[in-house]
Amino acid sequence: MFKKVELSVSSYDTAWLARVPTMGSSLEPCFPQCLKWLLDNQHHDGSWCLPSRHDLMIKDSLMSTLACVLALRKWEIGEEHVSKGIEFMGSNFGAIMDKKQLSPMGFNIIFPSMVENAKDLGLKLPFSPNSVDKLRKNRNLELERLSRCNTKGSKSYLAYVSEGLTESYDPTEILKYQRKNGSLFNSPATTASLLVHSHDDKCLDYLHSLLDKYGSAVPTIYPNDIFIRLCMVDRIERLGISRHFIHEITVVLNETYRCWLQRDEEIFLDMQTCALAFRLLKKNGYEVSSDALADFNEEKHFFESSAGGQNLKDIYSVLELYKASEITTSPDDLVLETLHSWTSRYLKQGLENGAIPDEKFQKQVKNAVEFPYDVNVDRLDNRTNIESYNVDEIQILKALHR
């Protein structure tokens, strides 16, 4: 079970690949198989999204659906699909202004940009002019805030959501964030957008490798193998059944430690993966330093990187940072001390203001905050984790994924 890592496909990211034209001609799609997937995978209600969506995650469905509608409209196919998608967005547009709704990362920048793109393509979306104006204003405020920050975190975040940038899109600047595998942040959507603007061969190779692996649709993040395998180890340990998987766990941790020593991008460029790797390696006797978490030890840096907002990814990442901060390395570890201070405050606020919609995940957060790591009795901790275990746990980046 540790060898085969499966990710759910993302209609949002697949739609961005579907929009990429052939490098030698703007009249043909570079990835026609993605267009066919969009035509074959629209839900009965007109949406494109993960099945069985949560009531507080309608924004994800709206963003994915609009991305698919734009892709089909660009190549002038699937007129009936486009109409059904527009009807779905009209029926659910009220969720846009609902502050209780969870937002995909970059929603305030990307969604208004796609609305403008729809207008350019001659699509009439069922949104009132006042609502569109409010979306535009919120987008401009977000961009102004990030521009004022002018920090490493804010610049990185803007590059991550760069498919939502229009007049300020600078391929040269965004290419600075290209990883060794050719992607931008392991994000197919961001990479596809850059490919359209730059015709970069490494971007094209990355996207082709994705489709070679997944067929006609892609996940919202790839690769993500290290994180997923560490999550498996973490769940097995929390459920109290690790004694049955000693060999498998050792193999995963040894490989993770090798990547840690090599400062692998997949670990060190993602705060959730870095925090989880640090905690599991340290807990299992590997020599790792909390200095690796220093980039995340300021609350200000975190919110500039995530651009604020009520985002499920934020909660998951902060919970991992909080758990990592409880692994004692020395009495005067300032990195972990600072992490513990702001992450505990953030999680408590999340419990109080209802930012965590899933009841089982609420229990995980509440248990972590109320019972420090060093006082958790194994059997009690295992029982609590069994009760709060969610076999169908989802996370959200620009799109929901399992």
Side-chain angles (χ1 to χ4, degrees), residues 373-386:
Y373 172 77
D374 58 354
V375 300
N376 265 325
V377 179
D378 283 347
R379 287 191 177 181
L380 176 61
D381 193 31
N382 293 338
R383 179 178 177 180
T384 303
N385 286 315
I386 291 171

Side-chain angles (χ1 to χ4, degrees), residues 192-231:
S193 177
L194 178 61
L195 176 59
V196 171
H197 287 87
S198 69
H199 306 291
D200 182 78
D201 288 338
K202 290 179 68 177
C203 288
L204 182 60
D205 290 342
Y206 167 77
L207 296 176
H208 273 305
S209 71
L210 268 179
L211 291 172
D212 287 343
K213 180 177 177 64
Y214 288 97
S216 55
V218 298
T220 197
I221 181 172
Y222 179 84
N224 202 29
D225 293 17
I226 293 176
F227 176 71
I228 292 173
R229 289 191 175 101
L230 287 174
C231 284

Side-chain angles (χ1 to χ4, degrees), residues 71-113:
L72 296 176
R73 180 68 171 189
K74 175 181 174 63
W75 301 111
E76 298 183 348
I77 62 173
E79 185 176 341
E80 184 178 343
H81 294 74
V82 169
S83 297
K84 287 179 65 178
I86 291 175
E87 183 178 348
F88 169 81
M89 288 187 284
S91 301
N92 292 275
F93 186 72
I96 296 289
M97 305 304 171
D98 186 348
K99 294 183 179 180
K100 293 182 180 179
Q101 287 286 326
L102 290 161
S103 295
M105 292 188 74
F107 182 88
N108 289 341
I109 294 174
I110 298 172
F111 190 81
S113 176

